[in-house]
Amino acid sequence: MSISNLVTAIRRYAVFLTIGLLLTGATAWWASRPRTVQLATAYVLFVAPTTATGALRNPLADDNGALVATAALMARTVEPQSWPYKLTDPTLTIVDEGVTSGEKVSIPDRGGQWSNDWSDPTVVVQVSGADPDSVAARAQAIVDDIGRNLERSQTDANVPTARRITTHLVRGQVDLTTVSGAPTLAGLLATFAGLLATLAGVAALSPAVG
């Protein structure tokens, strides 16, 4: 269909075009309206026992590397799937990644874009959602699961109670923050898609003219 034929079709189907534009405007408004997301974050620090050898040795905490590996293993026990990409900024949250309802359990990687640096024996738990009580409760449940899995692993390894790794929350509790934003990009994309669909509908309704 030529440009002139499309202009003719738009004039002929003005009512359809008007309805399409109204629907596009409503969709764009809905997509770009400000949203509030609740983010619960917990930093679970793994603490090594007093250094010991022989019968009192803890194979899960021989050195800081082993402690970090144990923390990573415990993170996997509560979230088996791995994230498909690496963030260059460890301060970014799952909400920054666009996850407004979900969870992530990981250990900090401070190596930047081109290298890895897992030197911090901490598991970071993040849960996002709409209800503050629900996300906080879910984050606490994950923290509790990590503690139970760690205790079970050390029991299976026959680690004496006095030489076991312990954990505690770095900030003493699960942090709860409210993240607000206006997704402008979503509104623009909705506008573009709506206009494209409206014009496509007009072209489809109009008979082809040679």
Side-chain angles (χ1 to χ4, degrees):
M1 175 181 285
S2 65
I3 297 297
S4 60
N5 288 337
L6 180 59
V7 172
T8 301
I10 290 175
R11 291 175 178 173
R12 183 178 301 172
Y13 298 101
V15 174
F16 176 85
L17 180 61
T18 300
I19 294 174
L21 291 176
L22 289 174
L23 291 175
T24 297
T27 303
W29 169 82
W30 183 86
S32 61
R33 63 194 175 93
R35 289 177 173 81
T36 297
V37 179
Q38 303 296 329
L39 175 65
T41 309
Y43 298 88
V44 185
L45 178 65
F46 283 58
V47 181
T50 303
T51 303
T53 58
L56 296 181
R57 173 177 167 269
N58 186 340
L60 302 178
D62 273 343
D63 52 29
N64 188 67
L67 196 61
V68 172
T70 299
L73 178 61
M74 293 304 105
R76 276 300 178 91
T77 64
V78 293
E79 186 177 288
Q81 70 273 20
S82 60
W83 285 59
Y85 50 85
K86 173 187 174 182
L87 297 176
T88 57
D89 185 353
T91 64
L92 293 177
T93 69
I94 56 174
V95 177
D96 295 322
E97 298 176 65
V99 182
T100 57
S101 180
E103 58 191 52
K104 180 180 181 180
V105 182
S106 60
I107 60 174
D109 184 353
R110 308 188 187 283
Q113 184 175 3
W114 306 112
S115 62
N116 296 316
D117 179 11
W118 295 297
S119 58
D120 187 355
T122 301
V123 173
V124 182
V125 178
Q126 300 178 73
V127 180
S128 61
D131 180 63
D133 293 334
S134 297
V135 297
R138 176 55 186 158
Q140 185 61 58
I142 294 175
V143 170
D144 294 340
D145 285 342
I146 291 172
R148 282 191 292 267
N149 293 340
L150 175 62
E151 189 67 17
R152 185 181 305 113
S153 296
Q154 295 184 103
T155 298
D156 293 343
N158 297 316
V159 177
T161 302
R163 293 292 179 262
R164 294 195 175 190
I165 301 169
T166 58
T167 63
H168 71 264
L169 293 179
V170 173
R171 299 179 182 175
Q173 62 183 6
V174 174
D175 294 333
L176 186 63
T177 56
T178 300
V179 183
S180 300
T184 304
L185 179 60
L188 292 175
L189 291 176
T191 300
F192 176 77
L195 291 175
L196 189 63
T198 300
L199 293 177
V202 170
L205 288 173
S206 178
V209 179

